[in-house]
Amino acid sequence: MRLLILGYSSIVQRRVIPAAAKVDAIGEISIASKSRPEPREGWPKRGRFFADYGTALRESRCDIVYLSLPNAMHERWVLAALAAGKHVLVDKPAMITREACERGVAEARRTGRLLAEVTVFDYHPHFDALKGFIGENGPLTHVDAQFIIPPLPIANFRNHSELGGGCLLDMGPYAAALMRILGGGPPSHIAALAGTNHPETGVDMGFSVQARLANGGIFAGHFSFEGEYQNRLLIVAHSGSVMIERVFSPPADHRIEWRRRVRNVETVVTFEAADIFARFLDAATGAISAGEHEALHRDLLADALCRARIADALDADKPMVARK
């Protein structure tokens, strides 16, 4: 299969291209970028370089388009890529609104193409082990997630609402995916508290969310652009717990460790390094080859709905904040 990447972003350079180079099903990688010149050093499995996205879609012989553009541009280019007959993988959030995600999936289904959101943290093998741990020591009672990063440079698109910025759009997919994966379905209840807004641009800088998971467990998540770096997940079951660091963004060479406690006896479990982007691309190309798109379509729609419910809960909190 031939891959065309629209947008030569930092994540594309650091993670996507190296991962695609490892995937046997991907034989060629082309790049389109309007803001950066063609890389002089080249790239693995090198195809063509395009300075215009529309030209790239018309002239590329690609089978798959990977979108890594500012969030506000996703809907336009998802639909354009589907109209060009391509399968589409798109950085999270797939599109800004639930309605846009529904339109995108409807068009993908109509054209027989895959549309998948690239939320990849759960493609690490330790997630299968985590589900097994819960099965052995369950039921699940509590999930506590923290993903907090220091403030981003003002020029970063995540600081600008007109580009689809804000913490909910950027980190909401993590919260939604966790609730789906560990809860076994959509949460029955969601409440949320908003963080502060950016002092210059006004975008949301963070949120906290609590939910009753489909399996009865309690989820608490804290996501922010305005604090000391935190990146961890705590799982508590009836007779055991697991604490995991670097859970949302493990480097390809990082060996994830569990601090595992069962009946008050703690052990450390170490997992071999795994490239979660390569594993996602393997899964996506496998789904395309088999014509089995629906699981990834359902995940995208479920997470878009959950993110919309978090947004509604944050809106419901605003009058209370204003009265204080």
Side-chain angles (χ1 to χ4, degrees), residues 50-233:
F50 300 89
D52 178 80
Y53 306 142
T55 301
L57 288 179
R58 288 191 302 272
E59 296 186 5
S60 171
R61 300 178 302 148
C62 72
D63 308 287
I64 309 168
V65 169
Y66 188 112
L67 287 180
S68 191
L69 302 170
N71 299 333
M73 300 173 68
H74 285 184
E75 182 176 6
R76 174 188 175 186
W77 291 106
V78 163
L79 295 177
L82 290 171
K86 314 302 185 183
H87 301 280
V88 184
L89 313 177
V90 55
D91 279 343
K92 51 99 183 145
M95 282 165 277
I96 289 178
T97 67
R98 173 192 176 187
E99 292 77 13
C101 290
E102 290 172 343
R103 287 192 294 270
V105 170
E107 183 63 13
R109 286 169 171 163
R110 188 187 71 80
T111 57
R113 295 295 182 265
L114 172 68
L115 172 59
E117 182 176 72
V118 186
T119 305
V120 299
F121 67 91
D122 61 308
Y123 280 79
H124 196 289
H126 86 91
F127 257 86
D128 288 334
L130 189 60
K131 293 173 186 176
F133 178 87
I134 295 169
E136 293 172 5
N137 296 281
L140 180 71
T141 60
H142 296 85
V143 178
D144 194 339
Q146 298 177 19
F147 198 4
I148 299 168
I149 63 174
L152 297 159
I154 186 63
N156 191 290
F157 80 87
R158 294 170 182 83
N159 285 325
H160 299 273
S161 59
E162 69 275 14
L163 297 176
C167 188
L168 179 59
L169 284 173
D170 190 67
M171 292 186 167
Y174 295 118
L178 270 175
M179 286 189 253
R180 167 176 52 82
I181 295 161
L182 297 177
S188 60
H189 180 76
I190 293 177
L193 294 171
T196 64
N197 293 330
H198 193 285
E200 297 178 57
T201 68
V203 299
D204 62 294
M205 293 284 282
F207 65 95
S208 296
V209 57
Q210 283 195 309
R212 173 74 69 181
L213 299 177
N215 57 16
I218 297 294
F219 176 89
H222 311 279
F223 302 87
S224 173
F225 292 167
E226 52 182 348
E228 177 66 20
Y229 188 80
Q230 310 291 326
N231 185 344
R232 66 173 60 90
L233 178 65

Side-chain angles (χ1 to χ4, degrees), residues 318-324:
K318 286 178 182 177
M320 297 179 64
V321 173
R323 288 197 296 269
K324 292 181 181 178

